[in-house]
Amino acid sequence: DVKVTQSSRYLVKRTGEKVFLECVQDMDHENMFWYRQDPGLGLRLIYFSYDVKMKEKGDIPEGYSVSREKKERFSLILESASTNQTSMYLCASSLPTDGNQPQHFGDGTRLSIL
Amino acid sequence: QQQVKQSPQSLIVQKGGISIINCAYENTAFDYFPWYQQFPGKGPALLIAIRPDVSEKKEGRFTISFNKSAKQFSLHIMDSQPGDSATYFCAASPNSGGYQKVTFGTGTKLQVIP
């Protein structure tokens, strides 16, 4: 079974802090994703990466950056955290999408910015 | 811009009843329609998926019905059980080579009461 592990289940940070969310997958997947999940808004794509050191903006990249130095690890960075970034963050991975491969999700990091 | 509209936002069904969740899309380039199931405290997981070359796909108690002309698809859960209580997301993506972004619906919180 694919396992996507997010380093923290809960995180509390202060406004203006630089925040790192880490994600590791163990199935050698090329694609990795970061979403945020908010009630009534579903899952919104922040960034994705289709290879090491490659990244593409999703629908809501403002205020975020990402890093993928190794194939198995994808980090989401909040450069200067703000209260409107309080949310559930989900990491996912998948094989290349010939045939539309399913995305495998981690269990999320609930981030609170005070 | 919400490209996949999902309804209802929440649903309460008696044990043994049929749960029905509906989704509508606008982008005619979509040709892969997965449903994800998310239990509290967990990430979403692929439940069932359909392509537009078939009008229905069934896996156990879960059935996707697809109406290409109306650009609508729905999830039916037969003989609903309390263990089905979860949030369900429909999704859609095109398949024209390379990575194609998955667009998620806003989610339906299903509660099955004994």
Side-chain angles (χ1 to χ4, degrees):
Chain A
D1 265 0
V2 176
K3 189 162 180 66
V4 178
T5 303
Q6 295 184 230
S7 56
S8 303
R9 292 299 303 272
Y10 301 93
L11 209 52
V12 180
K13 296 291 182 181
R14 297 210 170 270
T15 303
E17 280 192 70
K18 190 169 186 176
V19 180
F20 293 85
L21 302 184
E22 306 288 345
C23 175
V24 176
Q25 51 96 0
D26 66 357
M27 282 301 291
D28 204 34
H29 283 172
E30 283 77 3
N31 296 335
M32 295 190 74
F33 313 87
W34 276 106
Y35 293 89
R36 64 177 281 176
Q37 180 177 6
D38 299 288
L41 297 178
L43 278 66
R44 293 181 292 166
L45 182 65
I46 305 171
Y47 267 97
F48 71 94
S49 169
Y50 51 89
D51 203 349
V52 174
K53 297 189 184 295
M54 305 304 290
K55 61 184 179 184
E56 293 285 342
K57 292 180 180 179
D59 296 321
I60 51 166
E62 296 79 17
Y64 303 95
S65 63
V66 291
S67 172
R68 194 169 181 197
E69 296 296 319
K70 294 184 178 182
K71 191 175 185 179
E72 68 271 19
R73 186 179 297 271
F74 193 35
S75 303
L76 180 69
I77 304 157
L78 286 65
E79 296 290 344
S80 178
S82 64
T83 55
N84 63 10
Q85 292 178 310
T86 291
S87 186
M88 171 68 84
Y89 289 87
L90 290 165
C91 175
S93 71
S94 77
L95 290 168
T97 54
D98 289 345
N100 295 109
Q101 298 294 327
Q103 297 192 10
H104 301 266
F105 286 85
D107 289 337
T109 295
R110 186 165 293 282
L111 175 65
S112 297
I113 307 296
L114 305 179
Chain B
Q1 182 184 2
Q2 182 62 41
Q3 294 189 54
V4 178
K5 295 183 178 179
Q6 183 172 349
S7 63
Q9 189 171 357
S10 63
L11 183 60
I12 299 175
V13 173
Q14 288 270 339
K15 179 182 175 181
I18 302 173
S19 303
I20 302 174
I21 304 170
N22 299 301
C23 287
Y25 63 97
E26 300 164 3
N27 187 346
T28 55
F30 287 152
D31 72 346
Y32 177 68
F33 302 89
W35 286 86
Y36 285 81
Q37 179 188 54
Q38 183 181 29
F39 293 107
K42 296 292 187 181
L46 180 69
L47 179 65
I48 186 172
I50 196 169
R51 296 189 184 281
D53 52 347
V54 297
S55 60
E56 185 175 282
K57 183 173 182 180
K58 184 175 181 179
E59 290 185 3
R61 296 184 292 108
F62 299 89
T63 300
I64 301 178
S65 298
F66 187 83
N67 186 330
K68 188 174 181 178
S69 61
K71 292 187 285 185
Q72 295 175 347
F73 58 110
S74 59
L75 176 69
H76 290 65
I77 306 174
M78 311 301 288
D79 186 26
S80 299
Q81 299 296 312
D84 298 329
S85 297
T87 299
Y88 293 81
F89 293 95
C90 62
S93 66
N95 184 20
S96 55
Y99 174 71
Q100 298 297 328
K101 187 170 73 75
V102 177
T103 300
F104 287 87
T106 52
T108 296
K109 187 172 184 178
L110 170 66
Q111 184 181 359
V112 180
I113 54 177

